[in-house]
Amino acid sequence: MSGKSFVKGAVVLSVAGILAKCLGALYRIPFARIASDECGAIYSLVYPVYNLLLALSTAGIPLAISKLVAEYEEQGKSGMSMRILKLSLLLLSVVGICVAGFIFINADWLAVHVLHEERTALSLRAIAPAMIFTCMQAVFRGYFQGLQQMVPTALSQITEQFVRVGVIITALFVLLPYGDTVVAAGASSGASVGSCVAFLLILTVFLFYQRKHGVKRQSAEENAIGNCQILGKVLALAIPISIGSLVLPIMQSIDSVLLLPRLMASGLTKEAALIEVNYLSTCVQPIINLPFMLTTAIAASLVPNISEALAMGQKENVTVNFSNAMQLAILIVLPATVGLMTLARPIMALLYDKPGAGVAMLWSAAVVLVVGLYQISAGTLQGMGKAMVPMYSLLLGAAIKIVITYTCTAMPAMGVRGAALGSVVGFAVAAANNIFQVSRRIGWSWLSLRYHIIKPVISVAAMAVLVLGSYYGLFALLGSNGLATLAAIVIGGCVYFVVLLAIGGVSLEIIRKMPKVGNKLAALLLKLKLVRE
């Protein structure tokens, strides 16, 4: 695959991923404003279970199929590529039907004994069919990616998210008179409808592709290879990836299983506990996830850079790349963390008209920082060929989160703060272990107290003071939380960047490495003489 086509494919998938993530986060704003807190909690309890089963069923399949298809296409064995597609489609269809059937049949049991909320049963049944269509989609996505055709995957991703969000918003308005349980189920059905439409789209694209390129025939040598042998190759590649991909959904599912019963153990009524669940899952989590679009892009770009440097024996380049990536991540996630902490209550009031969610935001905001550092260190370890280390780190973090969430959330003085604290500490331990494992291999020379800690902290401290001062001053003057919050965010961002430049806290090289906007921003700063070449 040429470098140009790789970059083009990566850009197509990155843009699709960003659009899908933005849609997946932004619809929560009208959802939280229109739906009741209990409805939001019911909906939020179901989704992590779906994500966990989805990761178990499909996580490694597209990558495994794409790798094998690419190899066979390179050898001119297109017939084998088609055979992999058919056998994988059969396997994943059976898996999808079995998992969907399990969820649908056992929805009442799962609702009571796993999610501790019987009203989630209808939502579980509504989301169950999504497993079937998503599993089948995964096969076609892997096939097209193996052919270096990224557009079908991108189109299916965007279509799925658009349809899903459309169904959710429609369900809010149409089903609102029928109560929280029905509204939550209607919203959950968005995943099923969206995955069905996306599957039909990518199937149509495949049929047109087949008509255009013709049916590929297998040679006698290829026919001699057994079906079990082919599936064995797919599973040998897919299973390790799936195991690694399970850890993060498990981490995210802990709150679905533990949060509600432990909040009730603290003395809250079920209704009050559901409100707290809604605050954390529906209001806070989507905002927390937004900065990760940038750190994910940085981490993804690290993997090939680190691999190439190691292959060429350039260990010093590994150190430089890791140091720069960590500095860039800190410059992004540290101000995001402090900003969300500083304006936690005003932001929740502005976006959702739920200032009570500010407590959950305040205690959860540090997740932005620690997950960002985890992603960068994980990308480096993957580039070094140590892909299992980040998985072990997350398993350790998940164990710590379970202990903290279970104990602290049941304390009346803590409540939902306990679950947020568990996430922060769990991911912090995972990130710390990753960083230690990287440093054990390349040394600690990458760490600069001045550029990684002191100067960023000075900049965010100045930002926090100005943000608080401007918010309360403007709120007193204008009497509008929305205007005061928006103005404070703009002022805070400007102050942070100006102070950072003034104290020499960022180099031109770091600015140029910023995803999407780095080169243009560097050129502008050079023109304004705010940085030196």
Side-chain angles (χ1 to χ4, degrees), residues 394-474:
L394 265 185
L395 283 172
L396 175 62
I400 291 171
K401 173 171 170 53
I402 289 172
V403 172
I404 294 176
T405 300
Y406 188 87
T407 56
C408 292
T409 306
M411 298 177 183
M414 292 293 288
V416 75
R417 299 173 183 86
L421 180 64
S423 296
V424 172
V425 176
F427 277 115
V429 169
N433 188 58
N434 275 0
I435 292 170
F436 171 76
Q437 294 297 335
V438 172
S439 302
R440 190 166 68 87
R441 291 167 171 83
I442 67 173
W444 289 90
S445 60
W446 66 269
L447 178 62
S448 167
L449 289 176
R450 179 184 300 177
Y451 289 102
H452 289 106
I453 299 174
I454 296 173
K455 291 188 176 183
V457 168
I458 290 172
S459 301
V460 295
M463 179 195 79
V465 171
L466 267 294
V467 163
L468 281 174
S470 59
Y471 171 76
Y472 286 111
L474 289 168

Side-chain angles (χ1 to χ4, degrees), residues 49-59 130-131 134-135:
V49 176
Y50 165 72
N51 286 335
L52 180 62
L53 293 169
L54 191 62
L56 180 64
S57 305
T58 66
M131 293 301 307
T134 304
C135 284

Side-chain angles (χ1 to χ4, degrees), residues 66 69-70 73 78 81 142-150 209:
S66 67
V69 167
E73 291 293 321
S78 297
S81 299
Y143 177 75
F144 278 116
Q145 285 166 214
L147 296 175
Q148 321 305 344
Q149 301 288 331
M150 305 301 176
Y209 182 87

